[in-house]
Structure formats: C-alpha cells, structure tokens
Amino acid sequence: MIIHAAVMPAPHQPVEIREFPEPELAPGSLLLRTEYSEVCGTDVHLWHGRLSGVPYPLIPGHVSIGHAEKIRGEVIGLDGQRLKEGDRVVFYDVHRTCGRCYACVVSGTPTKCPSRRVYGITDGAADGLFGGWSEAIYLEPGVVAARLPDVVASEDYIGGGCGLITAVHAIDRAMVRLADTVLVQGTGAVGLSIVALARLSGAGLVVAIGAPPD
C-alpha cells in the first residue's frame, strides 16, 4: 500500500506530497491511520530553519490523533489495557528516552534526555513515517500511546494540541495551588491554555502579559 505524506524538503522550500511504502511492523508496534495532525509553532520554526540538527527532508507533525489500523503483537496503552485495531489513539511524541539520565529520572523532563527522539522533528523522511503530516504514522515499539476516551472529541483534542499539553506540564511543574497569584508571560496558544488551567487549579489572581489585547 502506498501512503502519501506532506514533506518539508528544506527550510523556506514549498511542502511536497511524496509517496512512501507501508512500513513493516515490528512486534509491539502499530500503524496509526491519521485523522488529525496539528501545525504547531515548532513547525513554523522548522520551515524557517530555526532549529539545529534537523534531518531535512522530514515529515512534520508531532501532535496527532488517529485510528489503530494495524497492530503487531501486544501494545499496552497508558491505562494498562491492550490497544485494539480500530481504537482512537494518541501518543507521546518524545520517544527512545534512556530512562537513566538526570532529565529522565530526577527533573522529570524527558524532553531534555540526550537520547530522546521526537516525532516530526528529529527523524527524517528517509527514516520512515515518523510525522503526523501523513496518511499514516508508524508508532514503533516503546512509544507511549493512549486510547482517547469517547467523551473527548477528536476535534477537541487536536484543538488543544501541543499548546495545551505544554501548559499542563507547566502548571504541574509550577505546582499552582488554591489562591496563588499566577503571572503568564505571553498570550499565544500555550499562554492562553495556562490562563485557563491556572483558574481551574484554584489560582486567585491570574495576570497575563502579551498582545493582542483581546
């Protein structure tokens, strides 16, 4: 089966549609049929060439949702249950972390693990379907995946996107508690999500600095 993907060939170059063969699934992996994949601010930085060490050409897209089309072997979701073909699945884009370094074990920031890889950013198109701007995504063994609850619409999940996930991490790291005062610097997708989550966390006063005024 041929799979089409949107490929960023190099900075400042038009995105191209290219064809890829269906990957051979390793035990413990799955092929995710993409439903949605976001365009994040990081993808804009990729197009402008602002990140170092990017293996162009690549398939962008690090926050995505889809249906498990094919599963080889057993893949256990974040809830401890076995994923099944047809499930709506989301996944953590950071993978291949070592689990032993300071970032992984002490600071709780696996995104800073020296060994980590990130879907849509650190793997080139030559490595395979490792980006969400594709008809299908290869979730290799060990990728943290989760079945999306029925009460969460796919549009709502992708609407929150990378900004909401980052904001959840920020609120967790800041340990916002009842009646705290929270200052949010910047009112982009991340900042607006932090404002909402800070209120939900019980903050008494939330101040946001940024533009535009609305």
Side-chain angles (χ1 to χ4, degrees):
M1 179 177 66
I2 297 298
I3 295 171
H4 297 89
V7 174
M8 193 176 292
H12 303 286
Q13 297 299 314
V15 173
E16 302 173 355
I17 302 299
R18 298 186 184 180
E19 295 183 346
F20 295 84
E22 180 179 331
E24 182 177 346
L25 299 185
S29 70
L30 65 87
L31 186 67
L32 194 68
R33 178 59 61 171
T34 309
E35 184 176 5
Y36 293 109
S37 187
E38 75 165 359
V39 179
C40 176
T42 301
D43 299 316
V44 178
H45 294 327
L46 287 170
W47 192 82
H48 284 288
R50 293 173 180 163
L51 302 182
S52 62
V54 177
Y56 300 99
L58 82 158
I59 304 171
H62 53 279
V63 175
S64 308
I65 178 173
H67 291 82
E69 184 169 85
K70 295 182 180 180
I71 299 177
R72 184 178 179 193
E74 185 177 70
V75 178
I76 303 299
L78 201 57
D79 60 358
Q81 302 298 311
R82 185 172 181 173
L83 295 178
K84 306 183 302 296
E85 292 180 356
D87 284 343
R88 275 192 316 157
V89 174
V90 296
F91 63 95
Y92 186 37
D93 56 337
V94 179
H95 61 119
R96 300 189 206 176
T97 52
C98 70
R100 300 183 300 275
C101 68
Y102 182 89
C104 286
V105 180
V106 180
S107 68
T109 53
T111 51
K112 296 182 179 179
C113 173
S115 302
R116 65 95 174 87
R117 310 293 293 177
V118 185
Y119 273 77
I121 299 174
T122 65
D123 293 291
D127 299 310
L129 301 176
F130 286 97
W133 294 10
S134 173
E135 291 179 322
I137 310 167
Y138 175 60
L139 300 191
E140 68 178 16
V143 171
V144 177
R147 181 186 296 105
L148 197 67
D150 293 338
V151 296
V152 180
S154 299
E155 293 86 349
D156 291 339
Y157 176 83
I158 204 65
C162 186
L164 180 59
I165 296 168
T166 304
V168 169
H169 192 195
I171 290 290
D172 182 57
R173 298 277 295 168
M175 295 185 290
V176 176
R177 297 295 181 265
L178 185 66
D180 278 352
T181 295
V182 176
L183 171 63
V184 183
Q185 298 185 56
T187 53
V190 176
L192 291 175
S193 294
I194 291 177
V195 168
L197 293 174
R199 293 299 300 271
L200 289 172
S201 299
L205 176 64
V206 181
V207 180
I209 299 175
D214 59 356

